[in-house]
Amino acid sequence: MAEQTERAYQFQVGISQNSKLSSKKKGTKTATKRWYCDVGLGFKTPKEAIEGTYIDKKCPFTGSTISIRGRILSGIVVSNKMKRTIIIRREYLHYIPKYNRYEKRHKNLAAHLSPCFIGVELGDQVTVGQCRPISKTVRFNVLKVQKKIVKGSGAKQFTKF
């Protein structure tokens, strides 16, 4: 039971934990039932969310209380030091009318990272969707991850502009 890492017993709401009810015949082994959903908006449910054994009530694919609504944003992962939470950086240009030019600006955004996304590293491009407030600073959930593509060997390269 690797998914039982918390102090409280972890389970999916609506799925019976009673093994006697799940298999009527003696000697037959049935796979444990798993609840998952499609978040919509053209995002596919990850394979790990369907076949995995993790339990996360804040996951948009397997948690029954999280729905994606509002904004869909994208950014680059700059920190993954927290447990199941990442910080993404969103860069944009701000117009200065006096000088008729643009300046670079950025915002950092905290997002919940479900265990179904394995191996998210710094520099990966992620797409996040807005949901209800999950904690004090987290209001977004990761929906899609695109791995970082290394082009050339130069350490100093522009990323977006």
Side-chain angles (χ1 to χ4, degrees):
M1 297 272 278
E3 61 272 358
Q4 297 297 334
T5 57
E6 306 295 328
R7 294 179 106 183
Y9 183 71
Q10 302 293 309
F11 64 95
Q12 278 192 314
V13 177
I15 302 296
S16 176
Q17 301 292 316
N18 191 351
S19 61
K20 293 178 182 177
L21 293 177
S22 62
S23 61
K24 295 285 184 184
K25 298 178 186 176
K26 288 211 171 212
T28 59
K29 270 195 164 181
T30 58
T32 58
K33 294 180 181 177
R34 183 161 177 84
W35 184 88
Y36 62 92
C37 71
D38 182 20
V39 297
L41 304 168
F43 293 102
K44 285 187 173 181
T45 304
K47 192 173 184 181
E48 181 65 26
I50 299 169
E51 299 172 357
T53 58
Y54 73 90
I55 295 170
D56 184 13
K57 65 181 180 181
K58 297 176 182 177
C59 174
F61 305 105
T62 60
S64 60
T65 61
I66 296 293
S67 62
I68 302 298
R69 78 284 191 281
R71 296 184 180 271
I72 304 293
L73 306 173
S74 64
I76 299 190
V77 178
V78 293
S79 173
N80 59 358
K81 295 177 183 177
M82 290 179 276
K83 183 179 178 182
R84 294 187 180 178
T85 304
I86 60 172
I87 302 295
I88 65 171
R89 180 184 175 108
R90 301 192 63 241
E91 296 178 345
Y92 59 94
L93 294 175
H94 179 251
Y95 181 67
I96 310 295
K98 179 179 177 183
Y99 300 110
N100 197 22
R101 282 169 172 68
Y102 292 91
E103 67 180 3
K104 283 187 189 179
R105 290 189 178 181
H106 81 276
K107 293 278 186 196
N108 284 345
L109 188 85
H112 180 75
L113 181 67
S114 174
C116 65
F117 297 110
I118 300 170
V120 175
E121 297 175 355
L122 302 182
D124 290 349
Q125 176 90 18
V126 295
T127 303
V128 296
Q130 189 178 10
C131 59
R132 66 171 175 82
I134 294 175
S135 68
K136 181 181 175 183
T137 58
V138 178
R139 275 104 174 97
F140 288 87
N141 236 310
V142 174
L143 298 175
K144 186 169 72 171
V145 176
Q146 295 172 338
K147 295 292 180 187
K148 178 174 70 171
I149 301 170
V150 179
K151 295 181 184 175
S153 61
K156 283 193 164 184
Q157 290 184 349
F158 290 115
T159 56
K160 195 165 186 176
F161 304 113

